[in-house]
């Protein structure tokens, strides 16, 4: 005779399949005491250089790709901000930067009027019976303040936080002016890396998980964020003599509005011109690739532990990056742009409640959608007041199309709207860019300069959100227009100012 648990699982599968066959919205069926676990893997500064997204032909990410093969990978997923703090705040609160006014590396959203008691994604799961745990970089590193990282605040349990360690006594790249702007082979052993220790802590929680409740484990891997350090074996995957640099054009910015420079006006990350002058372009690309493969190995350690512990069948795994990263395209390295290198990221769902396996979906989605999607996937009560939309229909029916685009914002009134066909950018001064996603994947031809495309841009502009004013305390990496003039970090950018090309 089949056990109740076996019959229950059979009923759940039949329910999902019948709903798909009848083209009905699928809601998960989980017994209250059998809610699925959740493993959330957040990777820092990872663009589309992963195997299934084909962002770089040489990249080796076998573990991220095996996760994609076990579920659904969104190939047109975008962040809500191309910068750590506003992106992570948006993901975890379920609110757009244009709602909260958080566009910069500060402030901490709990310091803002009206947000002190806001219920974040992990808090909502804790309120509904989950043990929530965090290790590594989940919120922006500065937040919550160290003294507030107590068990039972943002998470039930705070684990090893880590950082960008270890570091060599002297940087490999000289005269950068910033301690994190460095890359090279270091250290000798993977286990010395903080990211390895973060993963160790997460593995320990999987092996010694709560017995009487499901878990929500968030793991923040900092690689490939600067500094780009990895041991020799990861660099060996990308021999320097065979290394392919990103495709670029010398005249790439000639048809782009001058305002585009202001979004990444004066940053620690070097311009491509600086890298070329100092013979560092190829070394940085190689170190970035090596760091990606190191991070991928850590993802593999987590997936292997799930299998070893018999947790794969009852654990939803979600992997994403907080934003992308340029490696020379558009003349820059770093993030802080509204082009695809900054906004397009891996976004993968795998586990119970997701019948589609190994499918790629190019429908535009947002990381903002994570909060309502996880709530729906495990069958919790709907959470009111979120800006995102559940992806349940996309997860259960690969042919389903939704009309809404993905929207990313960097500073008030600088937005990009992404559909399956178009990438439309509008800056705070009203200037525009338009790219054909299907026929111009490198975004080399700005169609906004052609009159024929004005109707297309006018239609896409209907999706542009209204921007809240920058939250009190906003400064670092904030770009805004004040009285018709651009301001970077509170200082005016004069007319005709020369674009900063080197480090201070």
């Amino acid at each position: 005779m089949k056990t109740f648990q076996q019959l229950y699982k059979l009923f759940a599968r039949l329910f999902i399949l019948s709903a798909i066959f009848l083209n009905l919205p699928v809601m998960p069926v989980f017994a209250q005491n059998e809610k699925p676990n959740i493993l959330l893997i957040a990777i820092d500064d990872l663009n589309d250089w992963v195997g299934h997204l084909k962002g770089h032909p040489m990249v080796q990410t076998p573990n991220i790709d095996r996760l994609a093969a076990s579920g659904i990978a969104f190939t047109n997923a975008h962040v809500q901000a191309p910068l750590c703090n506003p992106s992570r705040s948006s993901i975890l609160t379920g609110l757009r930067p244009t709602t909260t006014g958080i566009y910069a590396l500060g402030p901490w959203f709990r310091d803002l009027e009206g947000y002190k008691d806001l219920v974040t994604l992990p808090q909502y799961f804790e309120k509904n019976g989950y043990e929530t745990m965090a290790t590594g970089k989940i919120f922006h590193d500065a937040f919550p303040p160290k003294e507030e990282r107590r068990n039972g605040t943002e998470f039930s349990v705070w684990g090893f936080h880590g950082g960008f360690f270890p570091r060599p006594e002297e940087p490999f790249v000289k005269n950068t002016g910033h301690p994190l702007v460095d890359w090279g082979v270091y250290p000798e052993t993977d286990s010395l890396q903080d990211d390895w220790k973060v993963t160790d802590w997460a593995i320990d929680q999987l092996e010694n998980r709560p017995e009487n409740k499901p878990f929500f484990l968030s793991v923040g891997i900092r690689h490939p964020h600067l500094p780009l350090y990895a041991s020799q074996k990861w660099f060996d995957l990308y021999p320097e003599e065979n290394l392919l640099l990103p495709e670029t054009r010398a005249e790439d910015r000639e048809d782009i509005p001058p305002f585009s420079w202001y979004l990444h006006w004066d940053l620690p990350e070097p311009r491509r011109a600086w890298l070329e002058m100092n013979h560092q372009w190829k070394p940085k690309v190689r170190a970035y690739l090596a760091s990606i493969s190191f991070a991928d190995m850590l993802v593999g350690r987590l997936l292997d532990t799930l299998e070893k512990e018999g947790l794969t069948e009852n654990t939803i795994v979600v992997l994403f990056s907080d934003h992308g990263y340029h490696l020379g395209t558009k003349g820059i390295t770093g993030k802080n742009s509204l082009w695809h290198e900054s906004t397009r990221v891996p976004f993968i769902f795998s586990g119970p409640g997701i019948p589609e396996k190994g499918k790629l979906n190019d429908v535009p989605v947002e990381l903002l959608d994570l909060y309502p999607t996880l709530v729906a996937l495990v069958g919790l009560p709907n959470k009111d007041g979120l800006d995102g939309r559940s992806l349940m229909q996309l997860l259960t029916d690969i042919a389903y199309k939704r009309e809404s685009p993905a929207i990313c914002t960097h500073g008030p009134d600088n937005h990009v709207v992404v559909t399956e066909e178009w990438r439309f950018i509008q800056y705070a001064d009203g200037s525009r860019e338009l790219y054909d996603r299907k026929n111009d994947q490198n975004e080399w031809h700005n169609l906004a300069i052609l009159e024929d495309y004005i109707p297309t841009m006018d239609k896409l502009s209907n999706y542009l959100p209204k921007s809240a004013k920058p939250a009190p305390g906003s400064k670092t990496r904030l770009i805004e227009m004040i009285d018709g003039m651009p301001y970077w970090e509170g200082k005016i950018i004069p007319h005709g100012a020369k674009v900063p090309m080197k480090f201070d």
Side-chain angles (χ1 to χ4, degrees):
M1 179 179 290
K2 292 182 179 292
T3 65
F4 171 79
Q5 187 177 26
Q6 289 173 318
L7 289 170
Y8 170 78
K9 289 182 177 179
L10 178 62
F11 170 73
R13 291 192 182 100
L14 289 173
F15 177 83
I16 291 172
L17 290 172
S18 62
I20 293 172
F21 179 75
L22 295 172
N23 198 30
L24 297 173
V26 177
M27 293 301 293
V29 182
F30 294 113
Q32 186 62 36
N33 63 343
E34 288 192 356
K35 294 290 187 188
N37 305 304
I38 295 173
L39 173 60
L40 203 63
I41 305 174
I43 302 180
D44 207 344
D45 280 24
L46 176 61
N47 58 18
D48 60 5
W49 290 14
V50 292
H52 69 276
L53 292 180
K54 301 179 180 178
H56 193 288
M58 296 180 68
V59 74
Q60 297 185 43
T61 53
N63 295 294
I64 294 175
D65 293 330
R66 74 161 152 143
L67 178 64
S70 69
I72 288 183
F74 291 99
T75 59
N76 196 8
H78 298 271
V79 299
Q80 271 47 74
L83 186 62
C84 295
N85 184 48
S87 175
R88 290 168 184 265
S89 295
S90 176
I91 294 165
L92 294 166
T93 64
L95 301 175
R96 295 187 185 279
T98 50
T99 298
T100 62
I102 297 176
Y103 304 108
L105 290 184
W108 170 228
F109 72 88
R110 296 253 181 242
D111 291 338
L112 302 180
E113 184 177 353
Y115 293 100
K116 181 177 178 58
D117 298 319
L118 182 144
V119 178
T120 61
L121 170 61
Q123 286 179 329
Y124 193 70
F125 275 76
E126 184 177 31
K127 288 177 180 291
N128 284 277
Y130 277 75
E131 177 86 354
T132 63
M133 301 168 282
T135 179
K137 185 177 178 181
I138 302 301
F139 291 101
H140 180 46
D141 262 334
F143 306 123
K146 192 173 182 179
E147 63 274 11
E148 296 181 20
R149 295 174 197 161
R150 302 183 304 273
N151 291 351
T153 53
E154 302 298 335
F155 293 91
S156 310
V157 179
W158 282 92
F160 177 68
H161 186 72
F164 301 102
F165 297 101
R167 299 185 207 167
E169 292 185 7
E170 295 291 333
F172 298 112
V173 184
K174 307 300 182 184
N175 303 318
T176 66
H178 194 287
L180 295 185
V181 181
D182 196 23
W183 43 87
V185 178
Y186 187 83
E188 291 185 6
T189 306
D190 289 340
S191 59
L192 295 175
Q193 295 263 27
D194 269 7
D195 273 347
W196 179 281
K197 297 172 185 177
V198 162
T199 310
D200 270 351
W201 191 90
I203 288 172
D204 185 60
Q205 306 317 299
L206 294 174
E207 293 174 341
N208 300 280
R209 56 198 174 275
E211 294 183 359
N212 58 349
K213 60 172 64 175
F215 63 78
F216 186 116
L217 174 59
S218 300
V219 184
I221 297 172
R222 288 177 176 82
H223 283 72
H225 191 290
L226 289 169
L228 302 173
Y229 297 143
S231 61
Q232 185 65 55
K233 63 182 177 182
W234 305 110
F235 279 78
D236 289 344
L237 295 177
Y238 308 101
E240 187 170 0
E241 60 271 19
N242 300 327
L243 193 72
L244 296 176
L245 293 172
E247 290 186 278
T248 61
R249 298 177 66 189
E251 68 278 14
D252 194 13
R253 295 189 76 133
E254 290 183 0
D255 62 352
I256 295 175
F259 200 94
S260 66
W261 278 111
Y262 301 153
L263 271 63
H264 45 86
W265 181 249
D266 192 7
L267 300 174
E269 291 91 348
R271 310 298 189 191
R272 189 181 77 225
W274 188 95
L275 293 175
E276 290 176 311
M277 273 192 305
N278 291 275
H279 309 288
Q280 288 293 332
W281 189 12
K282 183 173 284 190
K284 184 173 184 181
V285 169
R286 188 182 183 207
Y288 186 78
L289 287 165
S291 296
I292 290 173
S293 290
F294 171 69
D296 177 80
M297 176 271 296
L298 300 177
V299 172
R301 293 184 70 211
L302 294 170
L303 299 181
D304 290 345
T305 304
L306 288 180
E307 293 180 5
K308 179 175 70 72
E309 293 294 313
L311 294 169
T312 303
E313 291 295 320
N314 196 38
T315 301
I316 296 167
V317 182
V318 182
L319 181 144
F320 64 89
S321 171
D322 60 349
H323 47 70
Y325 199 84
H326 286 261
L327 271 298
T329 51
K330 293 291 190 288
I332 62 174
T333 65
K335 46 260 190 185
N336 291 60
S337 87
L338 295 176
W339 299 302
H340 78 271
E341 290 91 341
S342 268
T343 76
R344 184 186 185 222
V345 292
F347 197 26
I348 302 170
F349 285 80
S350 177
I354 305 169
E356 301 280 5
K357 305 296 181 186
K359 299 293 179 67
L360 302 179
N361 194 326
D362 198 51
V363 172
V365 298
E366 305 174 292
L367 295 197
L368 190 71
D369 299 330
L370 177 64
Y371 195 154
T373 301
L374 286 179
V375 167
L377 261 176
V378 306
L380 298 186
N382 287 337
K383 177 68 171 65
D384 295 330
L386 302 179
D387 287 340
R389 299 172 58 197
S390 171
L391 300 173
M392 281 300 297
Q393 287 183 289
L394 294 172
L395 292 174
T396 54
D397 179 7
I398 199 69
Y400 177 77
K401 302 290 184 183
R402 69 177 189 180
E403 297 298 321
S404 58
I407 300 169
C408 177
T409 300
H410 186 44
D413 300 317
N414 300 300
H415 311 293
V416 61
V417 176
V418 186
T419 68
E420 288 191 69
E421 296 83 18
W422 305 105
R423 170 176 291 268
F424 169 63
I425 298 171
Q426 181 158 307
Y427 296 106
D429 68 345
S431 57
R432 293 173 163 185
E433 297 177 46
L434 180 70
Y435 300 100
D436 183 334
R437 287 192 65 244
K438 301 296 184 182
N439 299 306
D440 182 20
Q441 295 182 7
N442 288 316
E443 298 175 3
W444 282 342
H445 305 287
N446 178 18
L447 301 175
I449 63 176
L450 304 177
E451 289 188 9
D452 290 350
Y453 292 92
I454 291 177
T456 298
M457 291 186 290
D458 288 345
K459 180 179 179 181
L460 292 170
S461 69
N462 291 324
Y463 292 107
L464 295 172
K466 183 178 180 180
S467 294
K469 292 183 179 179
S474 301
K475 182 180 179 181
T476 307
R477 301 204 184 190
L478 176 66
I479 175 66
E480 57 183 332
M481 288 283 282
I482 302 176
D483 297 330
M485 290 295 294
Y487 279 72
W488 174 260
E489 298 185 342
K491 297 180 181 180
I492 195 169
I493 302 175
H495 284 299
K498 186 178 180 180
V499 176
M501 298 302 290
K502 296 183 181 180
F503 298 111
D504 294 333

